[in-house]
Amino acid sequence: MDFGLVLQTDPPATAVVDLMRRAEAAGFRYGWTFDSAVLWQEPFVIHSRILDHTERLIVGPMVTNPSTRTPEVTASTFATLNDMYGNRTVCGIGRGDSAMRVAGRRPNTLAALRDAVRVIRDLAEGREADVGGTTVRLPWVREGRLPVWVAAYGPKALALTGQVADGFILQLADPYLTEWMIHAVRAAAAEAGRDPDALTICVAAPAYVGDDLAHAREQCRWFGGMVGNHVADLVSRYGEASGMVPEALTSYIKQRAGYDYSHHGRAGNPSTDFVPDEIVDRFCLLGPVEAHRERLERLRELGVDQFALYAMHDAREATIDAYGEHLIPALA
């Protein structure tokens, strides 16, 4: 199992770089950042700095979207970083949540996401791509490689992931839902004639190592609110009783009253008071090292290739160090 660290690009950028260096020294192989241009600093600028100050870390957004930057711009950005630092990037992409909604736009359609996956990967790897009816190629790309991993929850997005993506990003760590969604992605891959076992499975969720469970819950409750944005979209699209989305994912948002993106991804987010302890415990990894080990072993049994640790809480360094000392050596 690989391990990744996920951060917001809050200023100063040097602090983000320092935490990524700490993570690499602890044995993490991936460094991820949020990508929301209004809420945080520009991630790709900081990615360049992270790559320059690390030796092996693979860097990417969790996640970008098809329209904040056009696909050919995104592809050129990745290809430039890969040319400079030796194919050490990965493109995490989804329909878009905070990046789109904060700017007053709706998330992208799945058709736009499907097209963006193709264009970004083809151009970044030096192939021609059709961009809005025009065939283009980046003539300076040599031996570029860019895995594109899609973030998804709903049945149509999971099917798209299996059909076109190199990897699947699931932003929660509940074993039951993980198993359900991995099955959906792999079934779609097999139906499309692809090797379902070739897809990389990445589970991303907050992890907080410590004995004060009540405090850890309050530091990570924001995550249930963030996931709730996507779940609310699914409920509006498919309905609660459709059977197309597990009730284990949808039932907790009944008391959800709205969401304030100015607190997005932050401990103490007042928009997440509807999230019960049970959801925090299921979606996140909390408690002493042994509790983390048990959950990670279960996720690995289900086929998870990477656990990406959200560190938006008051014990970032301690949790990174605990993973480096106790968990990565045992599971990597």
Side-chain angles (χ1 to χ4, degrees):
M1 177 180 273
D2 284 332
F3 289 84
L5 177 68
V6 189
L7 299 173
Q8 295 165 337
T9 51
D10 287 315
T14 52
V16 178
V17 176
D18 288 345
L19 284 169
M20 291 297 186
R21 293 180 64 191
R22 189 185 194 114
E24 182 181 58
F28 287 77
R29 290 194 62 229
Y30 285 77
W32 302 91
T33 69
F34 279 28
D35 179 10
S36 191
V38 174
L39 296 178
W40 301 288
Q41 293 185 330
E42 171 56 33
F44 287 104
V45 175
I46 299 172
H47 290 174
S48 183
R49 186 77 169 175
I50 294 168
L51 288 163
D52 191 51
H53 283 69
T54 57
E55 296 179 1
R56 300 169 305 280
L57 205 67
I58 299 168
V59 176
M62 189 174 282
V63 293
T64 193
N65 69 82
S67 59
T68 299
R69 308 167 193 82
T70 58
E72 69 273 18
V73 172
T74 299
S76 181
T77 302
F78 277 110
T80 301
L81 292 173
N82 282 338
D83 187 65
M84 293 172 67
Y85 299 106
N87 289 339
R88 288 171 52 204
T89 67
V90 56
C91 177
I93 191 168
R95 294 175 59 232
D97 177 36
S98 63
M100 299 297 292
R101 288 178 162 128
V102 167
R105 291 176 284 176
R106 294 176 59 84
N108 293 272
T109 65
L110 289 177
L113 177 58
R114 178 186 296 271
D115 192 55
V117 169
R118 173 187 57 80
V119 170
I120 292 168
R121 183 169 52 212
D122 282 350
L123 291 180
E125 295 187 344
R127 295 184 294 276
E128 291 183 345
D130 183 296
V131 181
T134 299
T135 300
V136 299
R137 184 174 70 87
L138 304 181
W140 46 268
V141 173
R142 298 290 183 271
E143 299 181 357
R145 183 178 182 276
L146 181 66
V148 180
W149 298 2
V150 172
Y153 294 106
K156 292 181 180 179
L158 293 169
L160 181 152
T161 302
Q163 292 159 5
V164 304
D166 301 300
F168 167 42
I169 297 172
L170 173 59
Q171 296 177 90
L172 53 80
D174 173 74
Y176 171 78
L177 292 172
T178 298
E179 184 174 21
W180 191 93
M181 294 189 185
I182 289 176
H183 174 78
V185 168
R186 287 183 169 159
E191 188 173 341
R194 308 179 74 206
D195 179 0
D197 293 325
L199 273 80
T200 302
I201 307 296
C202 174
V203 160
Y208 193 111
V209 177
D211 294 324
D212 188 342
L213 185 57
H215 179 74
R217 284 171 176 157
E218 293 312 311
Q219 287 291 302
C220 298
R221 197 176 303 276
W222 62 266
F223 185 67
M226 187 184 83
V227 174
N229 296 329
H230 303 284
V231 176
D233 285 345
L234 295 177
V235 170
S236 67
R237 186 173 299 113
Y238 298 106
E240 287 187 55
S242 67
M244 297 185 69
V245 183
E247 185 180 358
L249 177 62
T250 62
S251 61
Y252 83 97
I253 69 161
K254 292 178 180 177
Q255 304 303 317
R256 180 180 181 271
Y259 193 80
D260 181 356
Y261 279 92
S262 66
H263 304 283
H264 188 58
R266 300 191 185 280
N269 185 337
S271 298
T272 61
D273 56 359
F274 70 94
V275 180
D277 289 350
E278 182 249 346
I279 288 293
V280 182
D281 293 347
R282 281 174 43 206
F283 286 10
C284 306
L285 274 69
L286 312 175
V289 165
E290 189 55 38
H292 291 248
R293 187 197 307 271
E294 290 176 5
R295 180 76 66 86
L296 291 167
E297 288 175 345
R298 176 61 179 141
L299 293 172
R300 185 172 62 176
E301 290 171 359
L302 295 173
V304 174
D305 300 297
Q306 179 185 155
F307 175 63
L309 184 163
Y310 281 101
M312 293 75 171
H313 52 59
D314 63 4
R316 296 184 302 182
E317 292 86 353
T319 296
I320 291 168
D321 294 348
Y323 265 68
E325 181 178 357
H326 301 289
L327 295 164
I328 294 176
L331 293 158

